[in-house]
Amino acid sequence: MTTLHGEIPGAHGSHGGHDHHDGSYLDRKGGMVSTIIDWATTIDHKKIGVMYLVAVLTMFFIGGIAAMLIRYELFQPVRIQTVGEMAGKATGTDLATLFGQKDMSVAQADNIYNRVMTLHGAVMVFMFIVPGIPASLGNFLLPLMLGAKDVAFPRLNLASWYVYVFGSIFGILAIVMGGVDTGWTFYTPYSSSHADPGHWRVVFMILAAFILGFSSIFTGLNFIVTVHKLRAPGLGWFDLPLFVWAMYSTSIIQVLATPVIGITLLLLVFERLFHVGIFDPALGGDPVLFQHFFWFYSHPVVYVMILPGMGIISECIAVHSRKQIFGYKAIAFSSLSIAAISFLVWGHHLFTSEGELAATIFSALTFLVAIPTAVKVFNWIGTLYKGSIQINTPMLYTLFFLFTFSIGGLTGLPLGALATDLHLHDSYFVVAHFHYVMMGGTVIAFLAGIHHWWPKMFGRMYNERWSMFACVLVFIGFNTTFFTQFFLGTRGMPRRYASYPDEFQTLHQISSIGAAILLIGFLVHLAVLVGSLFAGKKAPANPWGGLTFEWEADSPPTTHNFHHEPIAKHGPYAFDDVVPPHCDPKDYPLADPLPPGAKAH
Amino acid sequence: MNPITTTLADGFWHWLWFGSPAKSSSAVARIGDELFMYTFWLSVAWFVFLMGLTFYFVVKYQRRPGKKLTRSPAHNTPLEIAWTVVPTVFLVYIFFKGFWGYADAIVAPANAEVINLKAQKWAWRMTYPNGAESPESMRFVYTDAQGNQVTSAQEAPIFVVPAGKPVQLRMSSMDVIHSFWVPDFRSKFDIFPNRYTSYWFQADEPGDHVVYCAEYCGDLHSEMYAIIRVLPEPEYRAKINSWAIPWGDGLAAVGKVLYTTKGCSACHSVDGSRNTGPTWKGIWGKEHEMEGGGKAVVDPNYIRESILVPGAKIVKGYPNQMVSYQGQLNDRELDALIAYIESLGDNPPGPGAGYGESAESN
């Protein structure tokens, strides 16, 4: 649908001046109090998306502080300095000293570290990375990308946000009451019978994860129905943006897997409070049963964490290289097949605890899931071929993702292979591997997505030069922090250690310095983005020349998203033949027209 | 192995990943290392190829103002089949290599020396075939940046094993899940409170290897070390024989051995000095004040109860800290410990001394 003036008939938004009758969703209605009430009771998916964005980034900040404390403590090991004949003084208990505690015993100092380590894991997994992209960017963009006014169940959507906040409060409560030292995996019988016996805080942390699960299920259900029922006229399944495919696959996993962890956590609470023997052998239970239940949820959820990131990367790489995604169907189906296979590989978390037959089968299935993941990477790189590539912050992050996610994927191979996993399991190699996948994958993709859609969400452009500088800092900081941890792992450093033998100190120090650089990078990003809200240039409706529906809406979109119901007339990535909406054709030269009779790809 | 693979899998590259090249010290470990280095170089090749291609595309296809788009295929079935099948072939190979190495690492040879291993928060204990347990331990000592002598927080028990002979550990836990990891042997396995698991290795050269607990188990998880000391077989035999429990020498002598091997010495002194628990010197037959009022005489029933149900009576001024040894000591061993404490008394009471109330017998 090419028009000479680059304007969609009927869809004249902010491009031609403010002639529309309903204002931006960000417009304030009345004073401070009524604005707060307006947001707190909104059923607009965009506002809920923004509220989620604020909430999950707050949790990322809390989890990040814990991460910095971990790196601070590990800068030097905890030891006993000999003072006199028998008496000793603990040294290297930096974390304890930070909290104003002098002359702690080693056990007390380790105890503080164990709580910070658990806090980092639990907050990052349950409160940040699982809900992160789907609840914030997904909520904001899914209806826009489908050409819909809202999600299928707007009130359920608001409920999910409140459930999320309610669940997070339980988590914060557990931390305020003194913290939990079970690790985010809550392995039994430690969590059920040994950790802080008789105290409520472990129960609160478990309930937090339990409640947060409902928020995931609400969002997942909503998205599945929305994709099925609210697609704009003409928008077939294979015209969907790949971000929507990723959200769809993610939602299926959320809805199917979350009830399992819900029940498991509830059983754990029963065992702790009422001594019902399920997982603790002292009460007649089996601790490995918990690990099977736990990973039956938590492995599929690894893909809840990464699939949305992959969706963002697909969008960014197509738009910023103005290229049809290479192998669209392969990417869409690989999302679905990853979602399906993800349910069959949980046993690879138990290679050092389960029987030989199970280990062998799970190892084979694990290699199976590597294939669709590899195919996606090849497709993204294939998309760059003969593209028109523009380097800006979202694209820089996309390339950054290809780099770190490839390392994350490749280092999964020796963990999936049985002989090498016996050594690497529960070592820093695993820590480095999943940070390369979760942080180098999901968080980096999240940052790409935030910068890609920021102009759309808030109607402001950020300072490109400063945010690219911050991206480079994050790249250097991230790799310095986590690449060293691969070597720590193969050389024998176990995970979840507050202390370590001397030989590991140099690598730990390099890693801690990297974490400091990473922190600076994030702070620069925060400053640039917040600054853009006050001093940023007004964003055009379509700053990057995207072809999916969200770019037809204003920046920021009006309350009802579109002035007229959009109609799909071309594929989501038909850059060769279509001038992007709201764009000047001079800035977006198309390909030569196809000779008559030739078939478009 | 041909020279190229040797260069890429040994020397510098092996040091980079695993520390000293001499450290892969069991036959099974070498299989794992070979697979790791193979996967490493395969990954390096893929990664360099993919990132090189990305970099080349990004430089070559930079956006230029006014430049028309170039059409290119949106998919290419032969190419897509190729890049699905080729990695699959490599993955199948890695899977099978991993499986074979695992089979070797998991299944112990029939002629292995079987040693029992117990894990608990936060200590390891090995029981040798002759019933002996190790009384030896050490701390890691370092000199810090200021020149102070610092040591590891926890004492690591020293376990001896024979060189050049397969050793199988029959492992179980007394409380939560632990995991037995010797990085030098490139293998670990979890230890559960409700079943036995197995771990085997064969170290050919004498030397020391560090054991870590690899499954998070609470406060002192980070200090749960042990040392595996590989000795030539005759020395190993002599050592465990010297540690054997001297039943022929009388109960008190046995009690003296149990005092170190069962961990009593960590909290109770025998020279009168104060520690976590009361000293054993000179307490026999004396009356002590208890927490919460009341008094108790140190007699056989009191000692038995204190070992099996430590929380029942707590000596005034001491914390309720001790774990129960229920099921850990048999009746003969309890008798031996009682005899040992009696031998440490100032004036051992004669036969027929008051035995007080009978403690719950189990």
Side-chain angles (χ1 to χ4, degrees), chain A residues 389-562:
Chain A
I389 298 165
Q390 180 158 44
I391 297 294
N392 47 25
T393 312
M395 190 58 181
L396 206 54
Y397 265 117
T398 302
L399 298 171
F400 180 174
F401 174 95
L402 291 178
F403 184 93
T404 45
F405 184 73
S406 297
I407 293 177
L410 289 166
T411 52
L413 297 178
L415 293 170
L418 290 167
T420 36
D421 182 70
L422 287 180
H423 178 51
L424 302 173
H425 189 92
D426 271 334
S427 77
Y428 259 68
F429 194 89
V430 176
V431 176
H433 161 73
F434 70 67
H435 279 94
Y436 262 89
V437 177
M438 297 290 95
M439 188 159 184
T442 308
V443 177
I444 293 315
F446 199 4
L447 283 165
I450 287 176
H451 285 92
H452 184 68
W453 285 295
W454 186 266
K456 177 59 59 189
M457 294 177 83
F458 298 104
R460 298 286 175 174
M461 301 303 287
Y462 46 83
N463 185 316
E464 194 71 77
R465 193 171 294 191
W466 275 98
S467 73
M468 278 167 76
F469 169 70
C471 174
V472 171
L473 278 185
V474 170
F475 181 80
I476 294 169
F478 173 80
N479 285 293
T480 313
T481 308
F482 292 108
F483 206 81
T484 44
Q485 297 185 359
F486 286 120
F487 298 115
L488 277 171
T490 50
R491 285 164 175 232
M493 174 78 203
R495 76 190 270 207
R496 296 176 167 178
Y497 265 38
S499 181
Y500 46 81
D502 236 25
E503 56 188 291
F504 298 129
Q505 193 175 0
T506 311
L507 286 167
H508 270 299
Q509 290 187 338
I510 296 172
S511 180
S512 291
I513 291 167
I517 300 173
L518 193 53
L519 175 70
I520 296 170
F522 281 132
L523 290 178
V524 176
H525 267 314
L526 186 69
V528 171
L529 289 179
V530 171
S532 81
L533 294 180
F534 298 101
K537 269 203 320 244
K538 206 171 161 358
N542 193 0
W544 323 117
L547 289 178
T548 38
F549 280 147
E550 80 269 28
W551 303 112
E552 291 187 16
D554 295 350
S555 293
T558 59
T559 310
H560 295 294
N561 292 351
F562 302 99

Side-chain angles (χ1 to χ4, degrees), chain A residues 221-241:
Chain A
L221 267 176
N222 222 335
F223 284 6
I224 292 174
V225 178
T226 307
V227 174
H228 273 274
K229 304 307 280 184
L230 295 185
R231 301 194 307 276
L235 194 66
W237 281 92
F238 291 113
D239 300 322
L240 292 178

Side-chain angles (χ1 to χ4, degrees), chain A residues 181 286 323 423 425 490 577, chain B residues 17 70-71 188 195 216:
Chain A
D181 75 331
D286 182 12
K323 194 84 214 160
H423 178 51
H425 189 92
T490 50
D577 301 308
Chain B
W17 282 106
T70 322
R71 285 179 197 276
K188 68 171 65 67
R195 66 190 72 171
Y216 176 71

Side-chain angles (χ1 to χ4, degrees), chain A residues 559-570:
Chain A
T559 310
H560 295 294
N561 292 351
F562 302 99
H563 297 289
H564 300 277
E565 185 176 38
I567 298 166
K569 292 184 177 162
H570 52 74

